[in-house]
Amino acid sequence: MTTLVKVEAVWTPESQQKIFRAILNGFAFPGRVQDIATPLNGGRAEVGVLASLVDEQVTLADPDDLLSPTERRLLAPAAITSAGAAEYVVCDGHRAPGEAFRPNLGTIYRPEDGATLVLTSDGFPETGSRTIVTLTGPGIETEQMFGVSGLHTDWLRARNRWCDYFPTGCDLILCGTTQIVGIPRTSRLTFNEISEEER
């Protein structure tokens, strides 16, 4: 008797292709919120993003243990390694990065070795308590603003330090529930926190 195993949408090529296009758009137009609800089909955004980027040719770090053993096995990276060595790093954006946390930033001779950080958050609301992020730089006509909730602002402070010496640095993909935002290392970033009373 054959047992049918249901495969979540994020593990199908069709969904991964759609999420990958959203990631490309996110980096082509930094700070614009990209909706991936349809290809996720109930899956977690950070898993969908990683499923679209990670394969047996790249390394992955999961210092906060956000991924289940099954998810790690399905991602099938070349290696699960430390955050400072991995090409892709998934972290809990609700918690501040530790003082010792430092992703691979590449070198002046190999800037492409800089990591991509995939950070979780609560999402990208337009009202209520949130952090307003303003981006300028390549791919942005004047400036691009978006609000994010549930992201510890120490990540944004650290990101600016890590990207001080372009072309070295790291790229960010912020994940909400069903949306993502790309922040390439080429973007200049400022932010301020808005409380419920100030909205």
Side-chain angles (χ1 to χ4, degrees):
M1 180 176 179
T2 302
T3 301
L4 296 178
V5 177
K6 183 180 179 181
V7 178
E8 291 185 26
V10 294
W11 304 111
T12 65
E14 294 80 8
S15 290
Q16 291 174 7
Q17 289 166 6
K18 291 176 182 178
I19 294 170
F20 185 71
R21 283 197 293 270
I23 294 169
L24 292 180
N25 285 336
F27 282 118
F29 303 101
R32 289 192 191 177
V33 177
Q34 308 291 323
D35 193 299
I36 57 172
T38 299
L40 282 178
N41 193 28
R44 290 163 32 229
E46 65 273 19
V47 175
V49 166
L50 292 173
S52 303
L53 295 174
V54 173
D55 59 24
E56 68 277 2
Q57 301 297 318
V58 302
T59 53
L60 172 68
D62 179 19
D64 296 324
D65 291 321
L66 297 180
L67 302 173
S68 70
T70 298
E71 289 165 343
R72 289 187 180 194
R73 186 170 61 254
L74 289 169
L75 288 170
I80 301 289
T81 185
S82 66
E87 294 163 83
Y88 293 94
V89 185
V90 59
C91 290
D92 183 352
H94 300 85
R95 301 174 358 193
E99 289 186 13
F101 182 92
R102 185 177 184 272
N104 188 348
L105 304 180
T107 67
I108 191 68
Y109 302 107
R110 291 184 59 87
E112 68 274 13
D113 288 345
T116 297
L117 301 188
V118 179
L119 302 179
T120 62
S121 74
D122 292 337
F124 309 102
E126 297 181 359
T127 60
S129 299
R130 63 205 188 280
T131 300
I132 302 297
V133 179
T134 302
L135 302 181
T136 58
I140 302 169
E141 187 172 350
T142 54
E143 64 179 24
Q144 181 68 43
M145 301 174 66
F146 66 93
V148 58
S149 65
L151 178 71
H152 200 293
T153 53
D154 279 1
W155 283 107
L156 301 177
R157 294 184 182 92
R159 179 266 177 199
N160 283 347
R161 291 196 306 272
W162 296 330
C163 295
D164 264 347
Y165 301 102
F166 182 82
T168 62
C170 60
D171 302 312
L172 300 188
I173 301 174
L174 305 183
C175 298
T177 304
T178 60
Q179 297 171 314
I180 60 172
V181 169
I183 305 177
R185 70 190 68 180
T186 53
S187 295
R188 293 179 291 277
L189 182 156
T190 60
F191 66 92
N192 64 292
E193 296 179 76
I194 301 295
S195 68
E196 183 73 27
E197 293 75 21
E198 297 174 307
R199 62 178 180 156

